[in-house]
Amino acid sequence: MATVAINIATGTFQQEEIIVGIDLGTTNSLVAYVHPDSRQPVAINDQGRGSIVPSVVHFPADGSDPLIGTEAREYLLTDPQRTIYSVKRLLGKSYGDLNAHADQLGYKVIDDNSEGLVKIRVGDRFYSPIELSADILKELRARAEHALKTPVNRAVITVPAYFNDSQRQATRDAGRLAGLEVLRIVNEPTAAALAYGIGLDPDEEKTVAVYDLGGGTFDVSILRIQQGIFEVLSTHGDTYLGGDDMDRVVAEHWTSAFQLPAAFRSDPHLQQQLRLAAEMAKKYLSQHTDFTTHLTDQTGQNITVTLTRAQFNDLIRPLVERTIAACRQAVQDAGLGNEGKGVGGFKGEDLAKGNPSHPPTLSPSYPKLDAVLLVGGSTRVPLVYDAVSAFFGQPANNSLNPDEVVALGAAIQADILAGNRRDVLLLDVTPLTLGIETLGGLLDPIIPRNSKIPTKAGRQYTTSVDGQVNLKIGVYQGERDQVSQNRKLGEFILSGIPAMPAGLPKVDVNFLLNADGILQVEAIELRSNTRQQVEIKPQYGLTDDQVEQMLMDSLVNAKDDVAARLLIEARTAAEQLLYQVNNFVRKNRPHLTEEELTATEAQAEKVRAALAGTERDPILKSMDELDELTRPYAERVMNISIQQAMAGKKIS
Ligand code: ADP
Ligand code: MG
């Protein structure tokens, strides 16, 4: 599988293709790789422009190519309708998901259909968040190719731990649109831990907190790492809290404290100037204690504004306190809290102004963590560092560049996947869904794709026919709704089920996927304790390309698949109903009138006719009618049999 690339610049062969790691951030994005010689992860800084690419896309009004990154950022306030930022917030979301937040954005989010994924309108063109994210990824890819002087075709991309399946899928699709094969989607906190070297030794067991305060989002995750497997014990945060809010409070403070002209609130250019100055002050105060600058108003007049670190701390304290509340929650959810003893050393009042002298009444008990890692540009703010360290009762680790740490970790993960680190256990998830065949040839997922391994899952089934003594368990892999379009891994027959009416046997099917990627499938009939099991190696003979292809097929066919599934489900239900009605008539013929028998047969015929077609609605309609028709006499017959049963009982 290893590819040989020629380095055009040096004319030498490169043994390994470079797989990059990408942090696709809400505010900023970066691409990194592991240097083949030093074996160290490095953020790619192409042409000395710095490693950070602001996640902003600007579409010039003249229709020329979109600008991406720093150049695009310049248009945020002056041409907001054509300048898209924070697109990550929209990724994999429907308009319904966004509700109130959509109108806070400067650009136009289209509400075409609340079920579908959101679209953004720029002029006469519509863009999906996937396309816009792909634009950012293309830029990162181009920078990597330019700096490394080699084609870059594969990547690992990070996402927040709280991203759901559709957001992860959207990220994958964006990568594909940018011409990248996305080998893996990795959680940002996992990447951060990897960058700090945590999880590389399969024998170590660690619990760490990752505190990530970016431009517009905040999250904190507690991870447990054992045998190279990263488990997210808990995650909390606020998707509308970050460094931008710090800039905003500084700008508001200046507006009132220095009585800035009203134009600073209304004129986009002045707003932009104020916002940038506020951000500059914030960053400066991460290193120094006093900041001074000049703003230029609409008449060209200079206005001096100042800010001390103490003032800044006062302004942002409420924001920082909100992040600490989320940390407390995460610690408790992870089961690391020590209720009633004052979890964490930090309480709201510790950060409160003045009076540091009142002693704590309870000795603080801190969550037992091996490390607290700081991620995101805003963790450079000293108050943030202090508050986080105080809360967790240990100095937070910020030895790596907080802007780069996620991308560096992604690069390490990419390097592991490239097979360059044989000492490291591959941190694995199952790339495709594993499940069994149910009625009508549908796939019933048991272990969804992207589940971390080892993992186990199970579900209960029953028989569909009276007296059924065998149950065929067909095991499949893939994302399509019908088993015929997925990959068959094997099948076995659970035999020896005692004869019972349909629906009475209880069959547990359990899947156990171990760390070596071997799947054990076990079926047990609970009433009789009959059991049967097989072992399968799902990944055997399957290349990465085939996996990707299967994923792609499932996307391309998603709509048809859903329609087919609904039709099959209706058919199966109709067949079940016909079976039941037939049974009922056979057993209770003496209790039914001639008209009832004829009407039932006529309606059953209608169901069969509908079944011959390919439409769902006629099937459902004819079933409903059959149900309505038979219900009254089914009830009557039921009463007769109850009476008979009662009559037969001897009362002593
Ligand atoms: P995201 O992960 O959301 O894309 P980042 O981690 O890149 O965001 O963080 C961006 C934020 O970090 C911005 O609000 C920026 O102003 C802030 N930031 C960057 N450097 C500093 C600094 N030295 N001091 C304070 N904040 C900073
Ligand atoms: Mg980030």
Side-chain angles (χ1 to χ4, degrees):
M1 199 167 69
T3 25
V4 176
I6 299 170
N7 185 324
I8 305 164
T10 59
T12 55
F13 285 104
Q14 255 172 255
Q15 287 308 317
E16 303 142 4
E17 180 198 345
I18 287 173
I19 306 177
V20 294
I22 293 177
D23 170 7
L24 182 62
T26 309
T27 312
N28 295 312
S29 298
L30 291 90
V31 54
Y33 78 118
V34 169
H35 195 284
D37 301 329
S38 72
R39 312 291 318 139
Q40 291 303 310
V42 245
I44 292 172
N45 173 356
D46 182 35
Q47 299 175 313
R49 290 181 284 179
S51 56
I52 292 175
V53 177
S55 307
V56 184
V57 183
H58 172 70
F59 294 92
D62 64 10
S64 53
D65 284 348
L67 301 176
I68 288 138
T70 316
E71 291 102 322
R73 210 177 162 219
E74 322 253 297
Y75 295 91
L76 266 182
L77 284 176
T78 54
D79 197 2
Q81 273 128 18
R82 311 190 67 89
T83 311
I84 318 300
Y85 66 98
S86 289
V87 68
K88 186 173 176 178
R89 294 189 190 286
L90 309 179
L91 212 49
K93 295 212 171 170
S94 67
Y95 192 83
D97 292 335
L98 293 179
N99 43 56
H101 289 297
D103 45 80
Q104 287 173 18
L105 301 166
Y107 46 88
K108 199 160 170 52
V109 177
I110 304 300
D111 178 12
D112 52 355
N113 147 18
S114 62
E115 291 287 292
L117 296 180
V118 297
K119 279 220 157 41
I120 293 143
R121 180 176 185 156
V122 180
D124 293 333
R125 293 216 44 192
F126 295 84
Y127 300 92
S128 71
I130 293 177
E131 290 172 287
L132 296 163
S133 302
D135 284 337
I136 298 165
L137 291 171
K138 270 184 220 154
E139 171 71 17
L140 294 170
R141 180 179 178 217
R143 286 190 181 205
E145 290 187 330
H146 190 261
L148 305 178
K149 303 189 171 55
T150 175
V152 171
N153 299 314
R154 302 160 124 206
V156 165
I157 305 180
T158 58
V159 296
Y162 56 80
F163 256 30
N164 65 25
D165 265 355
S166 98
Q167 292 169 298
R168 284 165 199 264
Q169 190 56 52
T171 306
R172 232 175 225 286
D173 294 344
R176 180 163 285 272
L177 256 185
L180 290 167
E181 183 184 347
V182 181
L183 293 188
R184 187 152 304 174
I185 296 288
V186 178
N187 286 333
E188 288 162 11
T190 299
L194 275 174
Y196 274 100
I198 296 168
L200 294 174
D201 174 1
D203 295 328
E204 85 188 351
E205 245 185 78
K206 288 206 158 136
T207 308
V208 303
V210 181
Y211 175 104
D212 184 344
L213 188 59
T217 61
F218 163 69
D219 57 86
V220 55
S221 305
I222 312 278
L223 306 180
R224 174 157 295 150
I225 301 110
Q226 43 192 347
Q227 296 176 326
I229 293 157
F230 288 72
E231 187 183 357
V232 181
L233 296 183
S234 64
T235 177
H236 262 275
D238 187 333
T239 49
Y240 288 88
L241 175 62
D244 298 345
D245 298 294
M246 299 184 183
D247 306 346
R248 197 173 32 75
V249 292
V250 169
E252 279 165 11
H253 165 73
W254 280 343
T255 308
S256 58
F258 296 95
Q259 296 177 355
L260 299 182
F264 276 97
R265 290 181 190 276
S266 52
D267 180 283
H269 291 273
L270 294 185
Q271 274 180 299
Q272 173 100 316
Q273 188 196 156
L274 179 59
R275 185 143 118 188
L276 292 178
E279 185 180 8
M280 201 203 290
K282 170 186 77 175
K283 290 185 178 178
Y284 187 82
L285 291 174
S286 292
Q287 304 287 330
H288 308 87
T289 51
D290 293 276
F291 175 85
T292 305
T293 193
H294 308 290
L295 299 172
T296 311
D297 72 10
Q298 69 281 17
T299 62
Q301 189 110 31
N302 273 346
I303 307 164
T304 304
V305 292
T306 61
L307 192 68
T308 66
R309 185 185 284 173
Q311 287 173 322
F312 176 65
N313 285 351
D314 285 347
L315 290 171
I316 64 164
R317 192 165 279 116
L319 302 173
V320 178
E321 278 170 1
R322 276 164 62 194
T323 70
I324 297 298
C327 291
R328 184 172 294 118
Q329 196 67 53
V331 163
Q332 264 160 21
D333 286 1
L336 303 172
N338 207 343
E339 257 93 6
K341 278 185 135 190
V343 179
F346 168 81
K347 295 192 208 68
E349 60 270 27
D350 292 3
L351 265 189
K353 254 165 98 175
N355 194 12
S357 57
H358 67 255
T361 46
L362 287 166
S363 61
S365 97
Y366 298 108
K368 287 205 175 11
L369 290 166
D370 296 297
V372 177
L373 310 177
L374 292 184
V375 178
S378 302
T379 60
R380 287 215 180 79
V381 171
L383 184 73
V384 170
Y385 176 88
D386 292 344
V388 175
S389 302
F391 172 75
F392 287 105
Q394 60 177 290
N397 198 338
N398 62 356
S399 54
L400 292 176
N401 180 336
D403 299 317
E404 293 182 350
V405 57
V406 168
L408 297 179
I412 294 173
Q413 176 71 74
D415 195 45
I416 295 171
L417 292 174
N420 297 336
R421 291 182 182 230
R422 305 210 183 271
D423 51 322
V424 175
L425 192 80
L426 243 99
L427 316 164
D428 239 334
V429 294
T430 168
L432 294 167
T433 298
L434 297 164
I436 69 166
E437 174 176 1
T438 53
L439 275 185
L442 291 177
L443 178 76
D444 199 26
I446 307 248
I447 298 180
R449 86 187 183 82
N450 272 335
S451 301
K452 61 177 190 301
I453 60 174
T455 184
K456 58 178 186 211
R459 191 163 289 179
Q460 200 166 79
Y461 298 91
T462 188
T463 52
S464 53
V465 181
D466 289 344
Q468 191 176 337
V469 293
N470 292 330
L471 195 64
K472 188 182 80 181
I473 314 279
V475 184
Y476 289 81
Q477 175 181 46
E479 309 313 308
R480 305 292 296 275
D481 287 56
Q482 295 177 55
V483 293
S484 58
Q485 277 148 344
N486 287 306
R487 187 166 181 255
K488 184 167 189 172
L489 297 176
E491 72 173 36
F492 63 96
I493 307 235
L494 177 67
S495 52
I497 300 173
M500 284 181 252
L504 226 48
K506 283 187 180 158
V507 179
D508 268 358
V509 176
N510 297 313
F511 277 35
L512 174 71
L513 188 59
N514 72 19
D516 301 324
I518 294 175
L519 177 68
Q520 221 177 65
V521 181
E522 182 191 50
I524 315 165
E525 199 291 303
L526 295 178
R527 292 177 195 272
S528 58
N529 206 22
T530 320
R531 62 177 73 212
Q532 190 83 39
Q533 92 176 33
V534 286
E535 261 185 18
I536 300 164
K537 196 150 188 220
Q539 255 32 51
Y540 185 75
L542 199 61
T543 66
D544 282 356
D545 289 348
Q546 286 169 315
V547 171
E548 286 288 319
Q549 188 57 50
M550 289 172 80
L551 292 175
M552 266 325 273
D553 287 349
S554 76
L555 281 178
V556 172
N557 297 297
K559 235 180 166 165
D560 293 347
D561 276 8
V562 171
R565 172 180 277 271
L566 290 174
L567 178 62
I568 291 172
E569 280 172 355
R571 282 217 166 110
T572 307
E575 274 156 15
Q576 290 281 98
L577 182 65
L578 285 177
Y579 177 79
Q580 283 162 7
V581 168
N582 190 36
N583 262 356
F584 173 82
V585 170
R586 197 164 38 79
K587 284 184 197 156
N588 300 294
R589 194 170 281 278
H591 304 299
L592 301 173
T593 67
E594 207 50 47
E595 291 90 74
E596 283 170 344
L597 287 171
T598 336
T600 306
E601 184 39 45
Q603 186 58 36
E605 192 45 46
K606 280 191 190 161
V607 176
R608 281 190 285 268
L611 270 175
T614 54
E615 272 182 82
R616 184 168 159 255
D617 288 340
I619 300 177
L620 295 178
K621 183 161 172 283
S622 62
M623 278 172 71
D624 230 25
E625 287 163 1
L626 180 57
D627 207 34
E628 287 289 311
L629 182 75
T630 53
R631 189 178 310 128
Y633 42 96
E635 275 165 14
R636 197 184 70 225
V637 170
M638 186 87 94
N639 287 336
I640 296 173
S641 45
I642 290 172
Q643 277 160 20
Q644 282 177 344
M646 294 300 282
K649 254 195 191 145
K650 301 241 158 55
I651 297 163
S652 56

